[in-house]
Amino acid sequence: MEPVLEIKNLSHVYGVDTPFEHVALDNVSLTVGRGEFVGLIGPTGSGKSTLIGLIPRFYDVQEGCVKVDGCDVRQYPLETLRRKIGLVPQKALLFKGTIREHLLWGDEGAADDAIYD
């Protein structure tokens, strides 16, 4: 069975060629199969958020490869890729407004029945 998520030899550096250059990921590989749950644990600055941010292309891959459903994330149109991914950030954000208004962020044209479901 082909993995749902495959990360191979992934490296990412912030601030390339500046005095602030910082290696966030260095040759990371990971395979996640359908139905598997994975937890990333590590100290602040160890690259967890960077790794997660590379999957929906909040950052583009500099070195290595990230594949979702067997396809390199760089080959997906952004909207298509991001519709395949559910992401819960580590810090919750609260916005003003009703629960209904918040749910409409996901689908502005949602009918009341869909919102209730």
Side-chain angles (χ1 to χ4, degrees), residues 2-8 30-32 65-70:
E2 192 168 279
V4 173
L5 174 66
E6 185 177 10
I7 295 170
K8 281 186 157 182
L30 170 71
T31 302
V32 181
C65 178
V66 176
K67 291 183 178 181
V68 172
D69 288 335

Side-chain angles (χ1 to χ4, degrees), residues 19-95:
F20 306 103
E21 188 169 302
H22 170 73
V23 176
L25 299 169
D26 186 19
N27 199 31
V28 174
S29 294
L30 170 71
T31 302
V32 181
R34 190 164 310 283
E36 286 187 300
F37 290 87
V38 175
L40 300 176
I41 300 170
T44 299
S46 63
K48 303 176 302 291
S49 295
T50 299
L51 178 66
I52 296 304
L54 287 162
I55 299 167
R57 290 186 58 207
F58 296 151
Y59 316 104
D60 272 326
V61 173
Q62 294 171 337
E63 222 178 284
C65 178
V66 176
K67 291 183 178 181
V68 172
D69 288 335
C71 183
D72 189 306
V73 294
R74 294 170 284 196
Q75 302 304 310
Y76 280 103
L78 278 178
E79 184 177 340
T80 302
L81 174 65
R82 291 178 181 169
R83 284 187 184 272
K84 290 178 158 288
I85 299 167
L87 178 63
V88 179
Q90 66 189 46
K91 291 184 180 178
L93 299 174
L94 299 176
F95 299 99

Side-chain angles (χ1 to χ4, degrees), residues 99-111:
I99 293 172
R100 183 180 193 284
E101 290 169 335
H102 286 241
L103 292 172
L104 286 172
W105 282 34
D107 181 358
E108 293 177 0

